[in-house]
Amino acid sequence: MESWFVALNVGVLVALLVVLYGLQRRRLSFSARVFIGLGLGLVLGLALQAAYGAGSAVVAQTAQWYAVVGTGYMRLLQMVALPLVFISILSAFTRLQAASDIGKIGGWVLAVLLVTTGIAAALGIASTLGFGLHQSGLAEAAATATPSADLGARMERVQSQSLPQKLLELIPTNPFLDLTGARPTSVIGVVIFAGLLGLSYLGMKRRAAEQAADFARLVEAIYGVVMGLVRIVLRLTPYGILAVMARAAAISNLQAIVSLGEFVVASYVALAAMFAVHLLILAASGLQPATYVRKAWPALGFAFSSRSSAATLPLNVSAQRQLGVPAGIADVAASFGLSIGQNGCAGIYPAMLAVIAAPAVGIDPTSASFLVTLVAVVVLSSFGVAGLGGGATFAALLVLSTLNLPVGLVGLLISVEPIIDMGRTLLNVSGSMVAGIVTSRVTGSLDVATYADRSRTVEVSA
């Protein structure tokens, strides 16, 4: 009998996928289809849990079939992410004229990313203290939490490393291994390797202009092919999001989410406050925040639903171009933002967990010395956070272990990770966009007329 129910559930998913395809044929916008898929998936998943129970055999078997679509889609995103980061960084060098240009641009992008990460950490601390989460018993509950085997292995590995060893982990020894995403710091390893290749190209451009021109044409050709592949994968997003959300909602522990609801609310308060800071930065730069929100929304909405900064990279770059950011700066800002200074995953989240965990080891989370140290460690640890799911967990493990705080809290909060990760990813992408816009503004290369042109927005062609 169970097999019949499973077949029925799969049939419902297929029917909803057909509905989404019908909306695509009717030329409904990409962002609208993504959010419709998100909503349909959420409703379907909750309906399955209400009908059968989260732990039932029917839901477990149904989730495996839903994973064919949902997890298959996420694997395609992982497939294109690191090649896209590599070729985007390298093409940024071929589009610029001199090493001084990339140095100035890279310096400003890094400065904005790191400063905003520090601000994000401060807002995470303020929200945690404001909600009184350090007194809520989460730290004590973490002592009895049983993390997954994978998380336990990551905890043990991070705790066994000193700070200098963690910094050395950022430097690639085998770039081809990093292109497979084998290490937690693979993204920044790929960024470093592509950056060094780019510097080598600039040197060759001075010594052998003809060969350098041939190399630049090759890079642009590969960039075009990779972007074509990315567009193919992105077209599957509404379908993949539907299946991902249906599976997640069906098997999620709603009781755990409700019990940790205060932490979820506090997280979103901090995330919303940091997004407001992004808008204030743009306003201080003489730019209209409302125009930014309108043009960036397709990319931000995709980031929210996909929970992947890396998968959002092409939309991120496109949105920056529509906001008047030159191609080279947009590539650098979007690619750097994948692994450095993620405001949500590497800023707010680890800062909140550190404040919650501090009382468990006798540290006053309101002391000035602890707060200054925490913000500094958060900013430093923001290097190398992966742009795919799990980056926030890695960042939290780094910060907590560096400060000698109990890392078990990370395992306790895994149950609410997907819900919070949506908002964190949106904020990460917004932070990289703001870095690109501010850098363009400071260097005098921002096309203000294009920024102000409200008729131009970003879409993914069907």
Side-chain angles (χ1 to χ4, degrees):
M1 193 66 177
E2 288 181 355
S3 60
W4 287 101
F5 286 125
V6 172
L8 175 63
N9 299 336
V10 173
V12 172
L13 176 66
V14 172
L16 293 178
L17 294 175
V18 171
V19 169
L20 283 179
Y21 180 72
L23 295 176
Q24 178 182 331
R25 293 293 298 272
R26 294 181 183 179
R27 306 286 185 183
L28 188 66
S29 69
F30 171 78
S31 55
R33 285 184 283 117
V34 167
F35 277 97
I36 290 174
L38 180 68
L40 290 175
L42 181 62
V43 171
L44 175 59
L46 293 177
L48 291 175
Q49 184 165 155
Y52 306 105
S56 70
V58 171
V59 168
Q61 294 179 44
T62 299
Q64 292 182 28
W65 283 105
Y66 283 14
V68 174
V69 178
T71 305
Y73 161 73
M74 295 304 295
R75 289 191 175 190
L76 289 175
L77 291 179
Q78 294 172 347
M79 175 188 72
V80 302
L82 287 176
L84 182 57
V85 171
F86 173 76
I87 199 64
S88 295
I89 290 290
L90 193 53
S91 66
F93 279 84
T94 62
R95 293 171 181 173
L96 296 173
Q97 299 301 315
S100 58
D101 294 334
I102 194 68
K104 185 176 182 180
I105 290 169
W108 271 105
V109 168
L110 284 175
V112 174
L113 289 173
L114 295 179
V115 169
T116 53
T117 298
I119 297 172
L123 290 174
I125 292 168
S127 182
T128 306
L129 294 176
F131 277 82
L133 295 181
H134 61 290
Q135 299 172 349
S136 66
L138 287 177
E140 289 77 7
T144 59
T146 304
S148 64
D150 177 64
L151 179 60
R154 293 177 73 177
M155 287 180 178
E156 183 178 352
R157 183 170 181 269
V158 171
Q159 284 183 297
S160 65
Q161 292 180 322
S162 64
L163 181 58
Q165 289 174 324
K166 293 171 185 175
L167 294 176
L168 283 174
E169 281 287 308
L170 303 178
I171 302 174
T173 56
N174 185 343
F176 300 101
L177 178 66
D178 282 333
L179 281 168
T180 69
R183 301 188 304 140
T185 56
S186 283
V187 174
I188 198 168
V190 170
V191 169
I192 292 173
F193 177 60
L196 291 175
L197 278 181
L199 290 175
S200 176
Y201 159 79
L202 293 177
M204 184 175 69
K205 190 175 180 180
R206 292 191 299 269
R207 298 189 306 270
E210 185 176 344
Q211 290 91 330
D214 291 338
F215 179 78
R217 285 192 290 270
L218 174 63
V219 170
E220 287 304 306
I222 296 174
Y223 182 83
V225 171
V226 172
M227 289 301 293
L229 175 61
V230 168
R231 282 190 290 271
I232 292 173
V233 176
L234 288 183
R235 290 169 187 164
L236 302 175
T237 298
Y239 313 103
I241 290 299
L242 191 158
V244 168
M245 287 304 301
R247 181 179 181 274
I251 65 176
S252 61
N253 187 341
L254 296 182
Q255 184 177 358
I257 293 174
V258 171
S259 65
L260 295 172
E262 193 175 16
F263 179 80
V264 174
V265 172
S267 297
Y268 270 93
V269 167
L271 292 169
M274 190 60 210
F275 187 72
V277 170
H278 289 171
L279 300 183
L280 289 174
I281 291 173
L282 295 176
S285 302
L287 302 170
Q288 282 288 338
T291 303
Y292 166 77
V293 173
R294 184 175 185 275
K295 290 190 172 186
W297 183 247
L300 297 180
F302 176 80
F304 182 85
S305 55
S306 69
R307 296 171 50 207
S308 172
S309 299
T312 314
L313 181 61
L315 283 177
N316 185 335
V317 173
S318 297
Q320 290 188 61
R321 295 295 305 279
Q322 297 298 328
L323 288 162
V325 179
I329 296 178
D331 285 334
V332 171
S335 298
F336 277 21
L338 292 182
S339 57
I340 301 170
Q342 292 190 345
N343 291 181
C345 289
I348 289 175
Y349 186 67
M352 292 183 70
L353 264 60
V355 172
I356 294 171
V361 293
I363 296 176
D364 179 7
T366 64
S367 67
S369 59
F370 171 76
L371 294 178
V372 171
T373 301
L374 174 57
V375 172
V377 170
V378 165
V379 172
L380 183 61
S381 299
S382 70
F383 285 84
V385 176
L388 294 167
T393 298
F394 180 67
L397 290 175
L398 282 177
V399 170
L400 294 178
S401 63
T402 300
L403 294 173
N404 294 317
L405 298 175
V407 297
L409 186 61
V410 177
L412 174 67
L413 296 172
I414 284 292
S415 58
V416 294
E417 271 285 287
I419 294 178
I420 304 172
D421 199 39
M422 293 178 177
R424 288 194 310 238
T425 307
L426 183 153
L427 191 67
N428 295 342
V429 172
S430 178
S432 66
M433 286 187 187
V434 170
I437 295 170
V438 171
T439 298
S440 300
R441 189 66 160 167
V442 170
T443 57
S445 55
L446 181 70
D447 188 335
V448 180
T450 299
Y451 183 98
D453 184 0
R454 297 189 177 187
S455 66
R456 302 175 67 181
T457 57
V458 182
E459 277 293 342
V460 174
S461 58

